Amino acid sequence: MEVHVFLKGNKKAIIYSGDRIDVLDFEMNKVKYKQIRYFRKGLSKSELVEQESIIKIVTID
């Protein structure tokens, strides 16, 4: 599974790949984020991306 995140100011997408990917809404200090959690071989990693900087998110199975 892959998730492509297109950000303002970048021509290329940031690509997250793994066995399972969760995209969650998250708010901290009144700033909205998308939390992207991806799981590979039993390990997980998480990354926060400001919601205002995201143009679109594309999921590829």
Side-chain angles (χ1 to χ4, degrees):
M1 175 177 240
E2 283 187 357
V3 171
H4 296 232
V5 179
F6 293 89
L7 300 175
K8 292 179 183 176
N10 291 339
K11 292 183 180 182
K12 294 187 179 182
I14 298 173
I15 300 172
Y16 299 96
S17 62
D19 302 324
R20 187 179 104 207
I21 301 172
D22 298 331
V23 179
L24 307 167
D25 292 325
F26 183 78
E27 187 172 342
M28 182 171 49
N29 297 329
K30 298 183 181 180
V31 178
K32 294 183 179 183
Y33 296 95
K34 290 288 187 182
Q35 181 183 16
I36 303 168
R37 294 189 311 187
Y38 51 102
F39 301 86
R40 284 188 218 152
K41 299 178 184 176
L43 299 175
S44 68
K45 292 189 179 183
S46 179
E47 191 169 318
L48 292 176
V49 180
E50 278 192 55
Q51 194 167 351
E52 290 183 5
S53 64
I54 297 174
I55 297 171
K56 69 178 176 177
I57 298 174
V58 179
T59 303
I60 301 172
D61 290 327

